[in-house]
């Protein structure tokens, strides 16, 4: 495809056509139904909510987007239905048979349920569903399955309302939530989420230190999970509690990263809104005026200090001259008086002072 748009830096970019987007999304959702949450970011990316925005907002978002989201939806339904139709033909064309195949292959990715009538459920994964499913009573399993499997869906609409301007951020956030709440989550789920977060560098630079600490701490529970999994299910030297705590630590670290990512995006959106309203420019002008006023005050203070110093020096010089004159007068008078006293004493000695007497023994 030829370049269809440019970035802010003037770099040409290629935007996939509606056909390519719809086919790629249909193939991904055919493999894992959980990827259906990406439909909302894709439609936002293709301009679904442009009509509800102001003119200034539309100009900032139109870069790198097409307004063909309706065509994407129609093509997606066509490709997705065609893939399932041909898949059903490969298993014999029977609706019942194909339904059983779908239950065994797709349902475990949506809910932690038993795959057949034997009562067996998927084994331990990096999530916490397997542990809770083992501990819960049988009569509460349907409630637990529906409630826990729908937790990640509860965040979709609020996040879309708040961050509809950032489709790539929504895609990364949904994948991070899937790596926490998906029934059979794996490290591959988190790897895809981290790759999607890298597509938003302006959000990453606003993330704080806890996210960095959590990222570098993730290998610890992952490696211990592998070790304890073998100890429990292969050698028989461990128990499920060992794995549970590693899954809990893994979920905690991913949750911290997800919260920091969303928080940083909200900060980014706040700055963008302030730029659109002119608040940032107004703040910068006020800061510039304040700096100029501070500089003027500093100059006035320095000039005043110099003037005061000159006056003080002048007064000190005058006081010094006066002190020297007074000292000379005092020294002259004192010298004359001392000389007169010395002369009178010598006269007294010459006139009447007795001579010293020497006694020999």
């Amino acid at each position: 495809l030829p370049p269809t748009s440019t970035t802010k830096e003037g770099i040409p970019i290629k935007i996939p056509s509606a056909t390519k987007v719809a086919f790629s999304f249909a193939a991904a959702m055919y493999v894992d139904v959980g990827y259906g949450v990406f439909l909302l970011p894709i439609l936002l990316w293709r301009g679904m909510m442009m009509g509800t925005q102001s003119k200034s907002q539309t100009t900032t978002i139109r870069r790198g987007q097409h307004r063909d989201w309706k065509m994407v939806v129609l093509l997606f339904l066509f490709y997705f239905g065609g893939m399932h139709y041909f898949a059903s033909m490969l298993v014999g064309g029977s609706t019942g048979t194909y339904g059983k195949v779908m239950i065994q292959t797709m349902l475990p990715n949506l809910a932690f349920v038993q795959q057949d009538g034997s009562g067996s459920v998927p084994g331990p994964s990096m999530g916490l569903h397997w542990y809770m499913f083992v501990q819960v009573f049988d009569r509460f399993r349907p409630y637990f399955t529906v409630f826990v499997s729908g937790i990640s869906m509860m965040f979709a609409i609020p996040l879309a309302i708040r961050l509809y301007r950032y489709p790539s951020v929504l895609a990364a956030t949904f994948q991070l939530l899937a790596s926490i709440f998906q029934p059979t989550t794996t490290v591959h789920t988190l790897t895809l989420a981290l790759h999607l977060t890298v597509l938003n560098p302006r959000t990453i630079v606003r993330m704080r230190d806890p996210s960095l600490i959590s990222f570098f701490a993730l290998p610890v529970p992952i490696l211990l999970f592998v070790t304890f999994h073998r100890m429990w299910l292969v050698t028989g030297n461990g128990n499920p509690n060992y794995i549970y705590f590693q899954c809990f630590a893994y979920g905690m670290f991913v949750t911290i990263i997800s919260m920091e990512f969303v928080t940083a995006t909200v900060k980014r959106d706040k700055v963008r809104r302030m730029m659109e309203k002119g608040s940032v420019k107004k703040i910068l002008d006020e800061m510039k005026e304040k700096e100029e006023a501070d500089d003027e005050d500093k100059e006035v203070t320095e000039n005043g200090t110099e003037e005061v110093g000159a006056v003080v020096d002048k007064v000190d010089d005058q006081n010094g001259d006066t002190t020297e004159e007074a000292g000379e007068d005092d020294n002259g008078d004192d010298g004359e008086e001392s000389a007169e006293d010395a002369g009178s004493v010598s006269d007294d000695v010459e006139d009447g002072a007795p001579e010293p007497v020497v006694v020999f023994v």
Side-chain angles (χ1 to χ4, degrees):
L1 291 175
T4 55
S5 183
T6 57
T7 62
K8 291 183 178 180
E9 293 78 13
I11 302 174
I13 57 176
K14 298 180 180 180
I15 301 177
S17 62
T19 303
K20 183 180 292 186
V21 171
F23 180 80
S24 301
F25 179 59
M29 192 171 174
Y30 176 79
V31 175
D32 188 352
V33 187
Y35 291 136
V37 295
F38 290 156
L39 178 62
L40 184 57
I42 289 175
L43 297 182
L44 292 173
W45 174 48
R46 307 302 291 198
M48 184 176 68
M49 295 186 66
M50 278 188 178
T52 61
Q53 300 166 6
S54 63
K55 191 173 182 180
S56 61
Q57 294 174 352
T58 304
T59 56
T60 58
I61 301 175
R62 188 172 295 173
R63 183 183 290 107
Q65 291 181 337
H66 287 170
R67 304 187 67 174
D68 54 356
W69 63 275
K70 295 181 181 179
M71 180 61 67
V72 171
V73 173
L74 294 176
L75 291 174
F76 162 72
L77 294 176
F78 174 76
Y79 290 131
F80 188 67
M83 290 179 183
H84 280 287
Y85 173 75
F86 286 112
S88 64
M89 296 295 294
L90 291 176
V91 296
S94 174
T95 305
T97 304
Y98 187 64
K100 293 179 180 179
V101 174
M102 290 183 63
I103 290 174
Q104 294 180 357
T105 56
M106 295 184 179
L107 192 58
N109 294 329
L110 296 177
F112 199 88
V113 296
Q114 59 187 25
Q115 298 179 348
D116 49 33
S118 63
S120 61
V121 295
S125 63
M126 293 304 300
L128 294 174
H129 293 69
W130 64 271
Y131 188 83
M132 296 181 181
F133 198 87
V134 171
Q135 300 295 329
V136 74
F137 294 105
D138 293 340
R139 61 179 179 274
F140 294 119
R141 285 190 176 184
Y143 170 79
F144 171 80
T145 301
V146 174
F147 177 76
V148 176
S149 301
I151 288 179
S152 58
M153 302 299 176
M154 295 169 57
F155 299 99
I157 296 178
L159 288 172
I161 293 175
R162 184 65 180 86
L163 305 175
Y164 65 91
R165 294 185 175 190
Y166 310 97
S168 59
V169 171
L170 283 177
T173 305
F174 290 161
Q175 187 63 22
L176 285 171
L177 291 174
S179 61
I180 301 172
F181 297 108
Q182 190 174 2
T184 55
T185 181
T186 60
V187 180
H188 301 287
T189 310
L190 178 62
T191 303
L192 177 59
L194 295 177
H195 279 81
L196 292 175
T197 57
V198 175
L199 300 177
N200 304 276
R202 296 176 183 173
T203 298
I204 293 177
V205 296
R206 290 178 170 87
M207 297 175 68
R208 297 178 298 177
D209 295 338
S211 59
L212 186 65
I213 297 173
S214 300
F215 175 77
F216 286 106
L218 279 172
V220 177
I222 293 175
L223 295 176
L224 290 178
F225 174 86
V226 176
T227 303
F228 293 147
H229 187 279
R230 177 177 176 81
M231 290 177 60
W232 178 34
L233 298 178
V234 178
T235 62
N237 296 327
N239 61 67
N241 292 325
Y242 296 169
I243 304 178
Y244 165 76
F245 287 111
Q246 307 313 316
C247 296
F248 182 81
Y250 170 85
M252 181 183 65
F253 293 144
V254 178
T255 301
I256 293 173
I257 295 174
S258 304
M259 293 178 64
E260 287 292 330
F261 185 73
V262 175
T263 303
T265 306
V266 173
K267 294 179 182 178
R268 172 186 172 187
D269 185 66
K270 184 177 180 180
V271 173
R272 185 173 185 174
R273 292 175 184 270
M274 293 176 66
M275 291 292 295
E276 292 176 354
K277 294 179 180 179
S279 302
V280 175
K281 185 177 180 181
K282 188 183 297 183
I283 293 173
L284 293 177
D285 293 339
E286 293 177 355
M287 293 176 62
K288 187 175 180 181
E289 293 177 358
K290 186 177 180 180
E291 290 178 356
E292 293 176 354
D294 293 339
D295 293 337
E296 293 177 357
D297 294 339
K298 188 176 181 180
E299 292 178 359
V300 172
T301 304
E302 291 177 355
N303 295 331
T305 304
E306 292 177 357
E307 294 177 358
V308 172
V311 173
V312 171
D313 294 338
K314 186 175 181 180
V315 172
D316 292 339
D317 294 339
Q318 294 177 355
N319 294 334
D321 296 338
T322 305
T323 303
E324 290 177 358
E325 293 176 357
E328 291 176 357
D329 295 340
D330 295 339
N331 292 331
D333 297 338
D334 294 340
E336 293 177 357
E337 293 176 356
S338 301
E340 293 177 355
D341 294 339
S344 61
V345 170
S346 60
D347 293 340
D348 294 338
V349 171
E350 291 177 359
D351 294 339
E355 295 181 358
V357 179
V358 180
V359 178
F360 296 95
V361 179

